Amino acid sequence: MDNEDVLNDELDDEEELEEMDDGEVDGVMVNSNAHDSALMSSSAGTALHWNKVIPDDSPEVRDISLTGTWTLSSCKIDGYGINQLLDEQVDQYWQSDGPQPHQITIEFATRTDVMFVLLYLDFKTDESYTPSKVSIQLGSSILDLDEGKVFNFHEPTGWQLLDLRDSSEAKKPAHCFVLQLQVIQNHQNGRDTHIRNMKIIGPGRSGLYDPEEGLLAQREYYKQGLQVANKKPEETTGWEFVEPHSSASFGFGLSLR
């Protein structure tokens, strides 16, 4: 093989690499013109990572979905419930089975900071099952929810971000023990709904997750215990503060009413 043939082969290899740039990357078909839309949806059943849609003005965040107990107002037979709603494979989905509004309720064991709710919707596949109007209600209990914040969609495909931060310059997160999503209306006046994934996003650091803050809370409980012991020494003996291996415990439950 002479030098000219070697040069031609190298040029051919470079052209193949350029063509691959317009092909499949991590299961998502992308090219230079479709990159923005690829950030929102995937053709391979797994959504591109949700953090791609978090606003640039947001500090560090984390997925806190599994720190709460989830309840659905209804669901179609087995295989269309909470497990599918929380599964990363977006070719699965929750399907309601009852009158509107359809509800997803998340109850937290402690007062929790919430910044965003993310929904993965796919109008191209689900059509009239796709929500067009939803509301997010927050409160201290299921019996004490606020008026809610309404969000509208027009033929959405991919991750949809519902921003729950306040309108101040600091954009502080919302606080709640209970978060409820209500599907108020579907496209084309559909009755039941499909949601292919839902995530609750909170700040990257808060009292619930910060080991140092959690340890301080444990020490405070210890001090309170000592106060009780001093008042009733005959009933409380041998008090000792032991630092736990983990400063926080996390609850995860699934239920269907």
Side-chain angles (χ1 to χ4, degrees), residues 48-68:
L48 201 67
H49 201 281
W50 54 266
N51 65 12
K52 300 296 183 181
V53 300
I54 299 300
D56 293 336
D57 63 359
S58 173
E60 181 183 355
V61 298
R62 68 168 63 204
D63 182 354
I64 60 172
S65 304
L66 300 188
T67 65

Side-chain angles (χ1 to χ4, degrees), residues 157-201:
T157 298
W159 286 115
Q160 309 301 311
L161 183 140
L162 314 183
D163 193 338
L164 301 183
R165 298 174 298 175
D166 65 21
S167 57
S168 68
E169 185 176 350
K171 295 188 175 180
K172 297 180 180 179
H175 315 285
C176 66
F177 282 89
V178 177
L179 181 152
Q180 186 174 88
L181 170 79
Q182 292 199 8
V183 179
I184 300 171
Q185 184 176 341
N186 287 336
H187 285 73
Q188 302 168 359
N189 295 318
R191 188 192 75 158
D192 286 317
T193 196
H194 287 180
I195 296 180
R196 293 177 175 268
N197 197 282
M198 178 173 172
K199 293 185 180 296
I200 312 300
I201 307 300

Side-chain angles (χ1 to χ4, degrees), residues 90-118:
V90 294
D91 54 356
Q92 304 182 82
Y93 51 85
W94 163 53
Q95 178 173 324
S96 63
D97 186 21
Q100 294 176 345
H102 309 299
Q103 299 170 344
I104 302 172
T105 304
I106 301 96
E107 298 176 75
F108 300 101
T110 61
R111 187 170 180 264
T112 300
D113 293 345
V114 179
M115 300 180 71
F116 310 106
V117 170
L118 296 179

